[in-house]
Amino acid sequence: MPTPCHLYQDLSRYYDQFCQDIPYAQQAQTLYRIAQIFNNTDSTPSSTHYLDIACGTGQLMAHTQAFGWHLTGLDNAASMLDQAALRCPNARWLLSDMANIPADPQYTLASCLLYSMHYNSSVQQLEAFFRALWNALKPGGFCLFDCVDKRGIDNTAGLTTYYQNGSQHFAFNSRWVYPGQGNQQTLNLSIELTENGQHYSWQDEHPMVAVSIAELEALLTQQGFTLTLFERNFEQLIAWQGSSFNLLVVAQKA
């Protein structure tokens, strides 16, 4: 019988293994290119203040250290921030939900990647996040985030990652489930670990917001953001063609 575990209490120990295939270096370069294009403020490295929202263990931030920016990471899990602080010793850290970013307009750019925007569990909480983001950005500053249009969610699809490290054998499965209407979906997670003959299991069903691109555009423009939409491609910047359901969004404060 697997030993039950508490997902968000225990996950930080293994998070890097689960994310081993994520192209953090490419994401960082995409952020850097977009900063050169969109940041209308004084964007010299010494004046660039970057906020990584839902930063996890700081893997994306580690790649941005070479840019010379002032770095701040925000996450709602203290154990994640402890790991991130080891990776990025010169960064600042905020333990907070993304809807409660401190209202201090000091950031010239921000990111919220790996579909973390959807961790807001309702449209109302998503609106609160966008208000907090607006209040945290300097005029001309922007946030880069990725999203999925709810019309393109495939309930039969999922991703399973396998990883072995010595005696540790992991299987990590994640899958979105959308009922076909409304503004709520769930993220279903299943993690299995076998280590030294012991079997551990994590299970979680996390509520997440589900929106269409049109709904997302309306929420952001109502807040005052100017939007530029790209295909979710971290190898090259391609303007959104209007048919795919996975996007990169640049939301810029006027």
Side-chain angles (χ1 to χ4, degrees):
M1 175 71 66
T3 301
C5 300
H6 300 288
L7 179 68
Y8 296 104
Q9 176 179 319
D10 301 337
L11 183 59
S12 62
R13 294 175 55 199
Y14 310 111
Y15 186 79
D16 290 355
Q17 288 94 323
F18 303 149
C19 299
Q20 60 184 316
D21 296 326
I22 294 174
Y24 287 109
Q26 290 180 340
Q27 290 180 357
Q29 288 299 321
T30 297
L31 182 63
Y32 183 77
R33 290 196 299 271
I34 289 177
Q36 292 178 308
I37 296 169
F38 287 92
N39 207 321
N40 293 331
T41 62
D42 178 8
S43 57
T44 60
S46 62
S47 64
T48 299
H49 290 258
Y50 164 54
L51 173 65
D52 188 16
I53 301 164
C55 67
T57 61
Q59 294 184 85
L60 175 60
M61 291 179 66
H63 288 282
T64 67
Q65 290 180 115
F67 304 151
W69 298 343
H70 298 279
L71 306 180
T72 301
L74 180 145
D75 203 278
N76 66 357
S79 56
M80 293 287 193
L81 294 181
D82 289 342
Q83 297 291 324
L86 297 175
R87 183 170 268 129
C88 303
N90 295 321
R92 270 197 327 139
W93 306 105
L94 299 173
L95 179 61
S96 173
D97 291 332
M98 65 182 73
N100 292 298
I101 305 169
D104 180 3
Q106 59 180 301
Y107 301 106
T108 52
L109 69 156
S111 65
C112 186
L113 295 175
L114 301 183
Y115 299 105
S116 296
M117 177 206 80
H118 292 280
Y119 274 97
N120 293 286
S121 60
S122 65
V123 171
Q124 291 73 25
Q125 189 174 3
L126 185 62
E127 289 179 303
F129 166 48
F130 291 152
R131 285 193 299 270
L133 181 62
W134 176 271
N135 292 330
L137 290 171
K138 289 184 176 181
F142 72 88
C143 183
L144 173 69
F145 58 87
D146 49 4
C147 62
V148 60
D149 188 312
K150 64 185 181 182
R151 298 170 300 165
I153 296 173
D154 183 355
N155 291 342
T156 65
L159 177 66
T160 301
T161 301
Y162 297 96
Y163 176 76
Q164 180 176 349
N165 181 19
S167 64
Q168 295 178 335
H169 297 261
F170 291 96
F172 173 65
N173 178 267
S174 62
R175 181 169 61 96
W176 277 323
V177 177
Y178 178 58
Q181 60 184 357
N183 292 108
Q184 191 148 44
Q185 61 177 316
T186 59
L187 174 65
N188 293 356
L189 297 176
S190 174
I191 304 168
E192 303 290 332
L193 165 63
T194 301
E195 182 177 18
N196 297 322
Q198 295 293 316
H199 188 196
Y200 304 90
S201 176
W202 293 261
Q203 303 289 333
D204 186 67
E205 186 175 284
H206 192 88
M208 303 182 84
V209 71
V211 291
S212 67
I213 297 304
E215 290 171 332
L216 182 67
E217 286 184 292
L219 291 172
L220 285 163
T221 54
Q222 287 168 11
Q223 182 58 54
F225 287 105
T226 299
L227 305 185
T228 306
L229 307 181
F230 295 97
E231 300 289 344
R232 192 181 185 273
N233 185 323
F234 294 107
E235 295 182 358
Q236 55 183 322
L237 289 177
I238 303 172
W240 184 51
Q241 303 302 299
S243 57
S244 61
F245 295 111
N246 293 273
L247 282 78
L248 285 178
V249 177
V250 176
Q252 189 166 30
K253 182 174 179 176

